[in-house]
Amino acid sequence: MNKHHVNDEQECTNKTNFAVAIETGNPLQPDFGDKAVNEDILNEICCQINSNPIILENIEAGGVNLICNENIRTPYKRIAMEQSILHSSKKFVKRRSGAMDPKTIGLVENDIVELVKCYIQDKRNRVNGKFRLVSYQVRRLSEEPVGYLGDHYLLDVNLREKMVHYSPEEEEKYAEEEYISFFVKVIPDNVPKLADYIKKMGCFRKEILLYKHVIPRLQDVMIGTRPFVPTAYFTKGDRMIVFENLKSEGYSIVENTKNLLDFDHLKVALQAVAKLHASSLILEDRSKTPIPKLFVGYLNENAYVDDDDHVRKINLENAIQVLCEMIKRIDKYARSERLEEILHKVRDIIRKIYDFSTPSTVFRNVLNHGDLWCNNVMFRYEMIPTSVDTCINTEGRKDTSDREDPAVDGKDADVANKQLFVSNGERRGRKRSSIKKPNPCEVLNLGNWSAPCASRPSSCILIDFQIARYAPPAYDILSLLTSTTTREFRRRYLKELLDVYYNALQSELDWFQRDVREVFSNGLASYRDSCDQYQLAGLIDSILYRHVTMLPMELVARCREEHRLPGTVGSQYNCAKMDICIEAWLQYDEYRNFMMDLLSDLVDQYILQA
């Protein structure tokens, strides 16, 4: 028997093993066998895989996927490979499951050309870069909803640089192809009630205005440092915004940690928050104008609006009823003689958020992100050194600023980063490579953060500015630290983490030869006073947002299927006991424990101990 063919029994085994690989979620990798095909075809297949993760999962032959577990040996037939190359070289690449024509979300080819031009201008400083679109497609970021105020997609683009004095045929033969991935956020028109709610709330309009006019100014202020916000390359009306795909740059959201962050992640996140705040302070200093006057109307409050006719006022009153129902289900309060007092005072305390969310007349205000939690902070990682180095301090962290770029560190970082991700703009390789390039859309599995040879967070980017506001720094800080930690964690580490932010802000301002006392008049003492004042704001904010955003995805998906709003965002139920948040409380331990921790902190600190 020819060694490049298998009998029926072996083929059946291969298919069985392949099915197991799918069910267990094992990473799928190509295996071409030994001299199974022509070397030229093999090289072309490799270059297709290296340049485009779309192709990686879509090489098929006879209905059997050719990408298999590394322990499985599946035959690769010459004709199948030739068909794969043929299909991938057409105008539209062979699409992975769930891929769609961009027109389905309102993106036409001219839009894609425009956003790619902006990308090339930004990344390569080339105003008139000429290229041809080879292929493009959109696909959902996830089968399940990943956000509450928009639909999320990935836009995959293959392009080829135009070559002077070359015919299209010669260009196709000699020019390199390039893969770029973008992240697209769109108003969910397929859920009319949610789309109408988003429009009334004005969150898409606010984010688009900020990314078009404000955030680029902040990025200019902080030029030469690590990015702290993403770049938007295209907007369409008040319904769509297209960003760089941060996962292609090595950033990912922390997963499988019950929506909590550890100390190292919080430290890096606070440094990014300090950079955001510092950039707004420097922008105001240079323009001699407060941001709300510099960009009139851009930061109008759209989350906590004390107007009886406003949709958000209705939301808040619905939320109060549901939160009271949750408190009734916490044993220590349900049995308390003070239950009625607790329920009455909780209402008044939560309504204090209206005052907290307005610009302060006591403390210096800055541009606040407004919605800092696990899903709105993305991290990039570096490998933890395996040997002791003199440039590593006793905590195992390098004593360098993100503005410094030592030659040795730079080389090390490049090596580590290449191992962790594939960047946008990677060009097609023409030769076979032994290096496996990970899918840039793949979420990094952190595993044990503190394990030897593991990775640790090195930088953070803040995403989603739909409810940004103008308020003291402490509002953002305490919202982040309350939304992403437990009560016990805050008891142990809050003071230390607050100092992390203060030191980071001081370092940022020092770079611009500004004194932190311009923000906090008495330095650290004033800063801590502001944090004491806004600790309640962070707690209320976390309770009001997280009782909806922490809902299990299956419940959110059900709401969308039924064309209704998730949780207390909708006013479809007159009885709070019937709200979907109460259903989540009763059925999901993780949700109940998280909300119980926040509500107990509120009741114990601000009612029972007051």
Side-chain angles (χ1 to χ4, degrees):
M1 179 181 293
N2 190 302
K3 69 175 180 178
H4 301 308
H5 293 77
V6 293
N7 57 29
D8 293 340
E9 180 180 350
Q10 184 177 346
E11 186 167 356
C12 179
T13 302
N14 287 334
K15 290 181 180 179
T16 303
N17 289 341
F18 180 73
V20 171
I22 294 176
E23 291 176 1
T24 57
N26 288 335
L28 302 178
Q29 300 180 23
D31 175 26
F32 296 110
D34 180 23
K35 298 181 180 179
V37 295
N38 181 282
E39 186 68 19
D40 291 337
I41 296 176
L42 183 60
N43 287 340
E44 184 65 17
I45 288 272
C46 287
C47 89
Q48 295 281 354
I49 292 173
N50 290 345
S51 66
N52 192 349
I54 305 170
I55 305 297
L56 183 60
E57 296 181 8
N58 285 284
I59 304 174
E60 297 182 356
V64 178
N65 196 312
L66 297 182
I67 307 300
C68 65
N69 185 280
E70 60 183 357
N71 295 321
I72 303 172
R73 298 293 175 181
T74 302
Y76 289 82
K77 298 181 180 179
R78 182 188 191 99
I79 187 170
M81 290 193 166
E82 291 172 344
Q83 287 175 347
S84 297
I85 297 167
L86 176 64
H87 292 318
S88 63
S89 64
K90 299 299 183 182
K91 174 65 178 177
F92 293 95
V93 297
K94 185 172 180 62
R95 291 174 174 168
R96 66 166 63 178
S97 176
M100 302 176 291
D101 189 323
K103 290 180 181 178
T104 58
I105 64 170
L107 267 178
V108 298
E109 186 163 302
N110 287 341
D111 298 332
I112 297 172
V113 169
E114 182 180 340
L115 72 90
V116 171
K117 282 182 179 178
C118 292
Y119 173 87
I120 291 175
Q121 181 178 346
D122 174 61
K123 294 294 186 182
R124 296 164 203 169
N125 197 26
R126 293 173 60 185
V127 178
N128 296 315
K130 297 184 182 298
F131 59 88
R132 297 184 194 276
L133 291 181
V134 177
S135 62
Y136 48 81
Q137 66 178 31
V138 294
R139 50 195 169 88
R140 286 194 174 275
L141 183 63
S142 171
E143 292 301 319
E144 296 180 335
V146 294
Y148 300 86
L149 298 178
D151 279 342
H152 305 92
Y153 300 87
L154 293 176
L155 169 65
D156 303 309
V157 178
N158 272 7
L159 57 91
R160 182 188 303 126
E161 187 173 3
K162 288 185 178 180
M163 301 178 70
V164 180
H165 306 311
Y166 278 69
S167 68
E169 292 76 16
E170 292 173 324
E171 195 175 88
E172 182 174 359
K173 183 177 181 180
Y174 296 109
E176 292 185 330
E177 286 184 14
E178 187 172 341
Y179 166 78
I180 305 174
S181 178
F182 298 95
F183 175 79
V184 186
K185 184 188 290 189
V186 188
I187 284 183
D189 293 320
N190 59 324
V191 186
K193 286 186 178 180
L194 182 57
D196 184 57
Y197 172 80
I198 290 171
K199 292 172 184 176
K200 288 180 180 178
M201 188 176 172
C203 50
F204 253 79
R205 180 178 182 274
K206 172 178 275 191
E207 186 169 33
I208 287 172
L209 287 173
L210 289 173
Y211 271 106
K212 287 178 70 175
H213 304 291
V214 182
I215 289 177
R217 298 282 299 274
L218 303 181
Q219 289 172 318
D220 287 344
V221 168
M222 289 293 176
I223 193 167
T225 71
R226 290 174 183 163
F228 59 99
V229 289
T231 299
Y233 292 113
F234 181 79
T235 62
K236 196 163 189 176
D238 288 343
R239 65 173 301 275
M240 179 187 294
I241 184 166
V242 182
F243 304 91
E244 58 184 321
N245 182 3
L246 293 174
K247 288 186 178 180
S248 295
E249 300 300 326
Y251 289 90
S252 60
I253 292 172
V254 175
E255 295 188 329
N256 303 319
T257 61
K258 300 183 179 180
N259 290 283
L260 302 175
L261 297 177
D262 67 355
F263 188 93
D264 283 346
H265 282 79
L266 288 168
K267 178 180 178 180
V268 175
L270 286 169
Q271 290 168 349
V273 174
K275 190 170 291 190
L276 170 68
H277 295 169
S279 66
S280 73
L281 289 166
I282 299 303
L283 179 60
E284 287 185 342
D285 182 66
R286 291 177 177 176
S287 62
K288 309 298 181 186
T289 308
I291 285 181
K293 291 185 178 179
L294 196 61
F295 302 98
V296 178
Y298 285 30
L299 292 176
N300 288 349
E301 182 60 38
N302 64 330
Y304 304 120
V305 183
D306 194 5
D307 179 347
D308 291 339
D309 295 327
H310 197 279
V311 64
R312 289 294 296 173
K313 178 68 175 284
I314 299 171
N315 295 163
L316 190 136
E317 294 304 318
N318 290 342
I320 289 175
Q321 294 183 49
V322 170
L323 294 171
C324 286
E325 286 298 322
M326 290 181 181
I327 291 173
K328 291 178 186 178
R329 288 168 167 78
I330 300 176
D331 289 343
K332 64 178 180 179
Y333 305 133
R335 296 192 302 264
S336 173
E337 296 177 353
R338 302 179 64 181
L339 177 61
E340 290 304 317
E341 175 193 354
I342 291 170
L343 297 177
H344 176 74
K345 289 186 176 180
V346 159
R347 292 175 168 85
D348 293 335
I349 289 174
I350 289 179
R351 292 186 184 114
K352 288 183 179 181
I353 198 65
Y354 291 122
D355 295 328
F356 283 125
S357 60
T358 59
S360 175
T361 57
V362 177
F363 303 106
R364 177 75 182 267
N365 299 292
V366 297
L367 173 64
N368 268 225
H369 177 280
D371 188 18
L372 292 171
W373 68 300
C374 278
N375 280 20
N376 287 342
V377 287
M378 297 185 71
F379 296 93
R380 191 172 179 176
Y381 297 84
E382 64 183 4
M383 302 305 295
I384 296 177
T386 55
S387 61
V388 178
D389 196 318
T390 55
C391 68
I392 306 295
N393 65 23
T394 56
E395 295 180 342
R397 298 174 178 85
K398 292 186 179 182
D399 290 324
T400 57
S401 162
D402 71 356
R403 289 184 172 83
E404 297 172 344
D405 188 23
V408 175
D409 290 349
K411 291 178 183 177
D412 291 345
D414 287 343
V415 172
N417 289 337
K418 284 180 181 178
Q419 293 173 343
L420 289 173
F421 65 91
V422 177
S423 295
N424 263 347
E426 180 181 356
R427 293 181 179 273
R428 165 179 297 190
R430 286 295 176 185
K431 293 186 177 180
R432 187 176 183 180
S433 172
S434 61
I435 300 174
K436 178 184 180 294
K437 295 184 173 64
N439 186 340
C441 304
E442 182 181 29
V443 177
L444 182 64
N445 181 11
L446 300 182
N448 183 356
W449 295 327
S450 60
C453 305
S455 58
R456 64 185 174 204
S458 59
S459 60
C460 172
I461 283 185
L462 312 176
I463 62 173
D464 196 345
F465 284 78
Q466 292 185 326
I467 45 183
R469 61 173 56 88
Y470 195 60
Y475 193 135
D476 253 358
I477 299 165
L478 271 304
S479 292
L480 170 65
L481 294 179
T482 308
S483 289
T484 58
T485 64
T486 63
R487 184 181 182 182
E488 176 60 22
F489 183 94
R490 292 191 293 278
R491 185 186 66 79
R492 296 178 59 187
Y493 299 110
L494 180 60
K495 183 179 179 298
E496 188 175 354
L497 285 166
L498 292 178
D499 288 347
V500 165
Y501 170 87
Y502 184 83
N503 294 332
L505 181 67
Q506 192 170 37
S507 296
E508 295 295 341
L509 295 178
D510 284 348
W511 180 263
F512 296 98
Q513 299 180 336
R514 294 291 183 272
D515 191 340
V516 73
R517 286 177 174 77
E518 296 176 24
V519 186
F520 306 109
S521 56
N522 293 322
L524 188 59
S526 295
Y527 166 67
R528 288 178 175 167
D529 183 34
S530 71
C531 290
D532 289 342
Q533 294 291 320
Y534 278 83
Q535 188 167 358
L536 175 58
L539 185 53
I540 299 171
D541 194 72
S542 298
I543 290 171
L544 289 174
Y545 284 155
R546 297 322 140 219
H547 86 281
V548 173
T549 60
M550 284 285 293
L551 283 170
M553 283 298 109
E554 48 266 41
L555 295 184
V556 177
R558 193 180 79 194
C559 287
R560 288 203 169 201
E561 289 173 1
E562 297 172 356
H563 295 281
R564 59 189 179 94
L565 306 181
T568 58
V569 174
S571 55
Q572 59 267 28
Y573 294 127
N574 293 323
C575 179
K577 295 179 181 179
M578 297 174 61
D579 191 272
I580 198 168
C581 295
I582 299 300
E583 182 180 342
W585 175 282
L586 295 173
Q587 296 181 14
Y588 296 87
D589 292 344
E590 185 176 313
Y591 178 86
R592 179 174 60 254
N593 292 337
F594 191 93
M595 290 307 304
M596 189 183 302
D597 188 71
L598 289 174
L599 290 169
S600 297
D601 199 3
L602 180 75
V603 172
D604 292 348
Q605 274 202 77
Y606 298 98
I607 297 178
L608 298 183
Q609 296 177 10

